[in-house]
Amino acid sequence: MEEEQSPRLAGEPATEPGPAPELECKNEDGVEDPEDPESTGGGSGNGNGISSLEQPLLKRSTTLTASHLAIVGAKVSHIESLDYEIIENDLFKHDWRSRSNVEVLQYIFLKWAMAFLVGLLTGVIASLINLAIENITGLKMLHMVNLVRERRYWAGFFYFAGVNFALTFVAAVLCVVFAPTAAGPGIPEIKAYLNGVDTPNMFGAPQLIVKARRFCPIIGSIGAVSSGMDLGKEGPLVHIGACLANLLSQGGEGRWRLRWRWLRYFNNDRDRRDLITCGASSGVCAAFRAPVGGVLFALEEVATWWRSALLWRTFFSTATVVVVLRGFIEVCRNGRCGMFGEGGLILFDVSDVTVRYHVGDLLPVTLVGVLGGVLGALYNHVLHQVLRLYNLINAKGRLAKLALALAVCVFTSAGLYLLPFAVPCTPCDPAFSDACPTVGKSGNFKQFNCPDGYYNDLASLLHATNTDATRNIFSTGTAGEFRLDSLLIFFAIYCVLGLFTFGIAVPSGLFLPIILMGSAYGRILALVLARFVHIDHGLYAVLGAAALMSGSMRMTVSLCVIFLELTNNLLLLPITMFVLLIAKTVGDAFNPSIYEIILDLKGLPFLEPKPETWMKDLTVGELAAAKPRAVTLQVVEKVSTVVEVLRSTPHNGFPVLDRPRPGVSELHGLVLRSHLMAVLRKRWFLAEKRRTEEWEAREKFSSTELAEKAGNVDEVQLSPEELDMYIDLHPFTNTTPYTVVETMSVAKAVVLFRTCALRHMLIIPKFQGAEISPIVGMLTRQDLRAHNILGAFPHLANKRKVH
């Protein structure tokens, strides 16, 4: 098919051979428009090597959806990237040089103060969430057990299911109606944000006191976890920490936004990213009381870009969280905070347990790791299919989302209430005569429907919060406390509930559900292999939980430290490391981690740390030649040309060319759309085509104004006389953009793009000359994604690494 001719692009040398393609009809950062039938990624799938499953299921949206399956294959997305790169233009250099030592020290102090406030507020909110969950669940369980002891079984069931239904209804309504992006764990979106993806409406935590939708991650998490559903509060806590960080850095939103002078220091994507990293690590620390584990979680799992100064501030935030949590623990001792006020803050302490290894333990421990990797990969695969099914249900509207959440709640309540009746009562061990059975308080031995002197081991696990259930199943010195059939039922029901609960419209975390499943299969293995096991069964539960988490989430270092801080026993470190490495290796052989799967399903353009091997066979020059040429501007450009470029191409950056002498063009740098819009809003136009002096732009523009978002070009109304004037772009042009030679491989470009947290990468020719354009093309995040590359080069599909 013959290519259409179009007018020469702005800044393109007239001597350059070949027809110039028309302006790119793409969204931000080179993302193709799904509504354009001529779009290169909108083929049928037969001619471009892309299967039908990789075509978009939904049209583009400027916001995230509550669905975990927004776009299959992530080929089409309207989500923009973030400007993490420093824009070194003349105005930035002058602003930096003009700062006094006092202002520099003030900036450094404020960053540490922000990190402290993030940790302080996250710790306080996490403590309140813990206290609320423990007390709500405790009151619910106590009254339900009293009804069962009175043999009013149907009344107990309807009370138990009714309270759970009401709690789920509150959480689901908040997420369905007011804050759809608060559903789920929030960790995949935070990973994408720290990778450079602007996930809209994800960190709308301002106005926490004013609007109900801002309470959704907090109240929704309390309601969802208290309802007894198979989900945890860890993911929502990470989300809450990130939201608080965004709130503090921006001073709020809309009419409630504070316009304090010192907030101007944080009016950029780089400092906001650092604070959100502190918030994410603080959330993990608050969930597990693991400060070092929280820092390593941010480093290993969520943060793409890292430096030593950020390490210290992140650790400072998590240390603040631990101090706050410890203060709440001291306040809540002796039941001063309700029924189970202290229970949610400490999970498992085996510092007094002596762990001894034998050579014969290597085989059972290896089996724990292998099974953890297999089960984790299987869990990821089945959950992937469940989320695809849920997408079809959620697409029917809000009522369908609400009905799905309530249906899961009813099913969960029925299972948790009825299953303990299926197992026989167990007589109490004389060694635990003082604590067995447990009545009206937290403990290992729930009496439930059993007579005095007996306990129901399955009720001890099912009729407790996830935290208490974990503490019970992790308890040491209790090899005969749980029956094999009870553990099998517990493992089966939590596998089913874990698969069908995640993905509904409530805030939910994956950590504790996977920990419970893993601890159950760890104890099952310890019972089955009792003749060959010398390690305590409770410690096998710890190893099983670590193995399943590593097999599903593929974390190693941070997970190892988290479990080390949970157990407070260094003797477990070597064997835990051994299990984690085995589980991750086995899991990687089958499929990606659960967070990578969710990122792909949500359509977030996440750049993986390791490029695919076939990218080494393709150069950036070949990749640039397969897409329309980048739109360029002259150093001194006409206002009408700038307006037309902004209106016809929604790109964020434009290469700027200079002509020092006739017939010669050179790359002057890159100018951002937001800076062009600032010039148009200020109407900083020139009557004649000339270069301005340095002081002229400095008098008119401040760093705060240039940090504002771009906005819509149609909002600026210009007269015909103004359109005929000129703009000098050199004060706004980043003269040091990242450039690569056209012969660089795509694999190397992906590593550079991700490592330096870029948004634009300019390609320059290997050979320079008067007849050669100084720029070959420009690559963005979408151009470097595997799906998009395969759309233009289908012959590479057979080389693609498939999990």
Side-chain angles (χ1 to χ4, degrees), residues 318-339:
T318 58
T320 305
V321 173
V322 169
V323 172
V324 174
L325 293 180
R326 174 53 60 183
F328 269 86
I329 290 175
E330 295 300 326
V331 170
C332 292
R333 288 194 184 278
N334 302 321
R336 283 178 289 184
C337 292
M339 299 188 61

Side-chain angles (χ1 to χ4, degrees), residues 557-572:
V557 179
S558 59
L559 193 58
C560 183
V561 174
I562 287 174
F563 271 91
L564 177 64
E565 292 180 289
L566 286 177
T567 58
N568 197 24
N569 196 325
L570 276 173
L571 296 176
L572 272 176

Side-chain angles (χ1 to χ4, degrees), residues 19-336:
E22 56 189 2
L23 297 179
E24 298 178 62
C25 184
K26 290 188 176 183
N27 294 321
E28 165 61 34
D29 292 338
V31 188
E32 296 161 4
D33 190 344
E35 299 176 356
D36 179 17
E38 301 293 331
S39 178
T40 57
S44 63
N46 298 326
N48 58 5
I50 302 297
S51 68
S52 60
L53 287 180
E54 293 170 344
Q55 300 303 319
L57 293 185
L58 303 178
K59 295 297 183 181
R60 70 181 179 183
S61 173
T62 56
T63 62
L64 291 177
T65 67
S67 168
H68 289 277
L69 184 52
I71 297 166
V72 178
K75 186 167 180 56
V76 179
S77 173
H78 187 61
I79 298 173
E80 299 183 359
S81 297
L82 296 165
D83 290 305
Y84 287 156
E85 181 186 0
I86 296 178
I87 307 301
E88 295 184 352
N89 53 29
D90 290 348
L91 294 172
F92 168 81
K93 294 174 183 177
H94 172 73
D95 181 66
W96 185 254
R97 288 193 300 264
S98 63
R99 290 188 182 183
S100 63
N101 291 334
V102 174
E103 289 179 316
V104 173
L105 291 175
Q106 183 184 28
Y107 172 62
I108 295 173
F109 171 77
L110 287 174
K111 288 201 290 188
W112 283 92
M114 286 289 190
F116 170 76
L117 288 176
V118 168
L120 176 66
L121 293 176
T122 304
V124 171
I125 291 177
S127 300
L128 296 177
I129 289 176
N130 272 294
L131 297 180
I133 291 174
E134 294 292 321
N135 281 281
I136 292 173
T137 306
L139 290 172
K140 176 187 68 176
M141 293 292 182
L142 181 62
H143 192 56
M144 181 266 293
V145 170
N146 288 335
L147 292 174
V148 172
R149 286 172 57 81
E150 296 172 4
R151 299 186 181 278
R152 299 168 60 187
Y153 299 124
W154 283 110
F157 171 74
F158 286 115
Y159 169 79
F160 182 70
V163 173
N164 291 342
F165 189 90
L167 292 170
T168 305
F169 181 81
V170 172
V173 166
L174 283 174
C175 290
V176 170
V177 178
F178 298 104
T181 54
I187 294 178
E189 290 83 359
I190 295 173
K191 280 172 63 74
Y193 184 90
L194 298 180
N195 189 256
V197 180
D198 187 8
T199 51
N201 295 343
M202 193 59 205
F203 304 112
Q207 310 164 25
L208 277 171
I209 305 178
V210 180
K211 292 189 177 180
R213 69 189 183 93
R214 305 305 185 184
F215 277 113
C216 187
I218 301 175
I219 297 180
S221 179
I222 293 174
V225 177
S226 300
S227 67
M229 288 195 293
D230 187 17
L231 45 83
K233 55 184 179 291
E234 306 76 33
L237 279 175
V238 175
H239 185 191
I240 290 169
C243 289
L244 288 171
N246 182 72
L247 162 67
L248 292 172
S249 66
Q250 301 307 300
E253 276 184 355
R255 61 192 180 97
W256 296 97
R257 185 172 182 177
L258 301 177
R259 300 292 179 179
W260 292 343
R261 183 172 177 272
W262 53 268
L263 282 175
R264 73 185 191 276
Y265 291 128
F266 301 95
N267 194 18
N268 61 84
D269 291 334
R270 290 170 61 87
D271 287 320
R272 192 180 305 124
R273 171 195 61 191
D274 291 351
L275 276 176
I276 287 177
T277 303
C278 293
S281 60
S282 298
V284 175
C285 174
F288 294 107
R289 200 172 57 87
V292 180
V295 174
L296 292 177
F297 175 82
L299 173 60
E300 179 183 10
E301 189 63 22
V302 297
T304 297
W305 192 81
W306 200 264
R307 68 182 189 278
S308 58
L310 180 59
L311 176 68
W312 282 106
R313 284 201 299 274
T314 306
F315 183 70
F316 180 56
S317 294
T318 58
T320 305
V321 173
V322 169
V323 172
V324 174
L325 293 180
R326 174 53 60 183
F328 269 86
I329 290 175
E330 295 300 326
V331 170
C332 292
R333 288 194 184 278
N334 302 321
R336 283 178 289 184

Side-chain angles (χ1 to χ4, degrees), residues 429-665:
D429 191 326
F432 302 106
S433 57
D434 294 336
C436 182
T438 302
V439 180
K441 58 181 180 179
S442 178
N444 281 36
F445 308 97
K446 298 291 185 182
Q447 186 173 4
F448 194 54
N449 61 327
C450 298
D452 294 337
Y454 290 80
Y455 71 96
N456 190 311
D457 58 343
L458 187 55
S460 302
L461 299 176
L462 295 181
H463 291 171
T465 63
N466 288 344
T467 304
D468 286 336
T470 306
R471 186 183 297 106
N472 291 346
I473 202 168
F474 278 5
S475 58
T476 57
T478 55
E481 178 180 339
F482 300 101
R483 299 161 50 92
L484 180 59
D485 54 349
S486 298
L487 289 173
L488 289 172
I489 294 174
F490 178 79
F491 176 72
I493 188 62
Y494 263 81
C495 283
V496 174
L497 293 179
L499 291 171
F500 286 98
T501 304
F502 187 79
I504 63 175
V506 295
S508 58
L510 278 170
F511 281 84
L512 271 183
I514 294 179
I515 286 177
L516 287 172
M517 287 186 285
S519 59
Y521 103 82
R523 272 204 176 251
I524 290 171
L525 281 181
L527 286 175
V528 173
L529 304 176
R531 293 178 54 190
F532 311 98
V533 169
H534 302 93
I535 303 175
D536 190 274
H537 286 205
L539 300 183
Y540 260 96
V542 175
L543 296 179
L548 191 58
M549 287 191 69
S550 181
S552 176
M553 300 180 179
R554 310 296 154 78
M555 296 188 302
T556 52
V557 179
S558 59
L559 193 58
C560 183
V561 174
I562 287 174
F563 271 91
L564 177 64
E565 292 180 289
L566 286 177
T567 58
N568 197 24
N569 196 325
L570 276 173
L571 296 176
L572 272 176
L573 180 61
I575 196 168
T576 305
M577 295 171 63
F578 181 66
V579 167
L580 289 174
L581 289 173
I582 293 176
K584 183 184 186 303
T585 303
V586 173
D588 284 338
F590 292 98
N591 51 30
S593 72
I594 185 61
Y595 291 136
E596 292 177 12
I597 291 174
I598 296 173
L599 281 169
D600 186 60
L601 294 181
K602 277 182 169 287
L604 297 173
F606 184 84
L607 285 183
E608 298 293 341
K610 185 177 180 181
E612 301 199 39
T613 55
W614 53 265
M615 291 183 178
K616 297 179 181 178
D617 301 329
L618 189 67
T619 66
V620 292
E622 294 172 329
L623 185 58
K627 55 175 286 188
R629 187 178 300 127
V631 179
T632 60
L633 298 171
Q634 296 290 340
V635 173
V636 181
E637 191 60 88
K638 213 168 186 180
V639 175
S640 59
T641 303
V642 173
V643 172
E644 179 59 27
V645 167
L646 291 177
R647 182 176 290 118
S648 58
T649 59
H651 292 168
N652 176 74
F654 303 93
V656 178
L657 302 184
D658 191 12
R659 291 192 177 182
R661 56 184 183 274
V664 176
S665 294

